[in-house]
Amino acid sequence: MEGIEHKYVEVNGLKLHVAETGNGNSPVVVFLHGFPEIWYSWRHQMIAVAKAGYRAIAPDFRGYGLSGQPPQPEKTTFLDLTNDILALLDALNISKVFLIGKDFGSFIVSQFVNLYEEKVSGFIVMGVPFLPPKPLQFKQGIPEGFYISRFAEPGRAEADFGRLDAKTVVRNIYILFSRSELPIANENQEIMDIVQPSTPLPPWFSEEDLTAYGALYENSGFRTAMQVPYRSLHEELNITDPTVHVPALFIKGEKDYFLKFPGIEDYISGGLLKSLVPNLQIVNLPEGTHFVQEQLPDEVNPLVLEFLTKNSKPQ
């Protein structure tokens, strides 16, 4: 992809794959992916911020894509991934960054800002808002077939995914997660069975994109990806006050299925989120789904660049 370079950086005993573009002396923007995403999910934003004078860095988290596998994937935690980002910045001699996260990448942004706020110039989240560092309670009142419940069950997703190749697994999850309804399987149905083989990809997601994702997950598999995020949602950090004061932006797709998680709309609109992040701006995209950065780059990129420009001056 135009101008994007790839390298490996040793962090915490593992080699992280890192995609990078832009001027090495410019303000740094680090992009953190979700699932079933990878560095590639930031392709549109990386090029845009680099052209605007920033240095864009997008790692694959440990156990994802081209990054090294942890020795015990089933013991991987959110904090491991957060500490990998800290070690990556240290390895690259970067003292301050803008963070941009999507989906569970937003969890990592939230943890990082809570632990190392002095290193953060500002942050942007999409798909999932800033969340305080406490166990996530998303499953109350939702049927047993809820995808998070199924993915959290050791071995079940592995058996479900194992019937298909990695490309088809990614295809099915992209289709499911781009809808506005919560992905819930029937009692005698697995998550992969919800999507019919004839169901088309979202119009903004090409076969070329799917091939790129398929190859990356063919390399890594899904073992670590099931552990973090789905089997680590009980994690808790011992942080007395989770309030953060750096500038922040939440780009919210109005058709994002995540908004139907129990309690999320109240958390966002009821005042709690703004009390935790007082310098937060929320922008709603009426047609936006869970994948706003890939679906609507022509709307997302100007918002990202406006935020970066307002809170820094490219050198």
Side-chain angles (χ1 to χ4, degrees):
M1 185 162 286
E2 63 176 284
I4 295 180
E5 299 177 350
H6 299 266
K7 62 186 177 184
Y8 291 87
V9 180
E10 186 89 20
V11 300
N12 297 325
L14 291 171
K15 288 186 176 179
L16 284 195
H17 168 253
V18 176
E20 181 174 348
T21 186
N23 189 321
N25 297 318
S26 299
V28 178
V29 185
V30 174
F31 295 88
L32 302 178
H33 66 80
F35 177 80
E37 296 154 288
I38 215 76
W39 78 265
Y40 183 84
S41 63
W42 296 112
R43 58 199 180 280
H44 304 299
Q45 288 70 45
M46 291 181 71
I47 292 168
V49 302
K51 286 181 177 177
Y54 295 87
R55 179 183 178 188
I57 296 173
D60 292 342
F61 286 123
R62 60 167 58 200
Y64 278 79
L66 299 177
S67 287
Q69 290 288 338
Q72 294 179 292
E74 67 280 358
K75 293 187 177 180
T76 304
T77 66
F78 282 111
L79 188 58
D80 289 334
L81 274 57
T82 300
N83 287 336
D84 285 348
I85 300 306
L86 178 65
L88 176 64
L89 299 182
D90 288 345
L92 298 177
N93 295 312
I94 297 168
S95 60
K96 199 130 184 173
V97 293
F98 288 98
L99 294 176
I100 302 183
K102 158 72 188 3
D103 187 68
F104 88 83
S106 299
F107 296 9
I108 307 301
V109 169
S110 302
Q111 270 199 2
F112 193 96
V113 179
N114 267 139
L115 292 169
Y116 311 111
E117 187 169 2
E118 73 281 358
K119 294 182 174 290
V120 180
S121 299
F123 68 87
I124 302 173
V125 287
M126 310 173 202
V128 172
F130 172 92
L131 293 168
K134 63 181 183 179
L136 300 175
Q137 306 294 333
F138 287 151
K139 296 184 282 190
Q140 295 91 336
I142 297 182
E144 172 275 335
F146 184 39
Y147 80 98
I148 285 185
S149 300
R150 293 290 185 85
F151 289 175
E153 184 180 334
R156 185 154 190 173
E158 289 86 339
D160 187 13
F161 295 176
R163 301 174 295 154
L164 308 167
D165 60 25
K167 182 177 177 181
T168 304
V169 172
V170 172
R171 169 192 174 276
N172 289 353
I173 296 175
Y174 254 85
I175 290 170
L176 283 175
F177 287 8
S178 64
R179 295 171 176 172
S180 58
E181 311 88 41
L182 292 176
I184 299 175
N186 295 326
E187 184 177 352
N188 297 315
Q189 181 186 45
E190 298 301 327
I191 297 299
M192 289 295 99
D193 299 327
I194 301 174
V195 180
Q196 299 302 313
S198 59
T199 305
L201 287 167
W204 42 265
F205 194 73
S206 70
E207 284 291 340
E208 180 183 0
D209 295 332
L210 179 58
T211 297
Y213 278 101
L216 291 166
Y217 275 99
E218 190 71 41
N219 182 75
S220 65
F222 297 96
R223 190 176 171 192
T224 304
M226 291 299 98
Q227 175 63 24
V228 179
Y230 299 105
R231 296 169 191 166
S232 303
L233 297 175
H234 59 279
E235 275 185 50
E236 185 165 11
L237 290 183
N238 186 24
I239 293 177
T240 306
D241 180 7
T243 307
V244 298
H245 297 279
V246 294
L249 172 65
F250 175 31
I251 301 175
K252 183 176 73 164
E254 291 289 347
K255 296 184 177 180
D256 189 337
Y257 77 91
F258 184 77
L259 298 178
K260 293 185 178 174
F261 277 45
I264 286 297
E265 282 280 26
D266 287 344
Y267 170 71
I268 294 169
S269 60
L272 180 54
L273 174 57
K274 283 285 283 185
S275 72
L276 293 170
V277 193
N279 294 314
L280 174 70
Q281 176 189 7
I282 300 175
V283 176
N284 298 311
L285 300 183
E287 297 302 314
T289 66
H290 194 57
F291 300 102
V292 286
Q293 87 282 21
E294 295 184 273
Q295 176 199 7
L296 301 171
D298 291 342
E299 295 182 46
V300 169
N301 290 357
L303 295 172
V304 169
L305 293 174
E306 179 186 14
F307 178 84
L308 295 175
T309 300
K310 185 164 62 174
N311 294 292
S312 76
K313 292 193 178 297
Q315 299 171 356

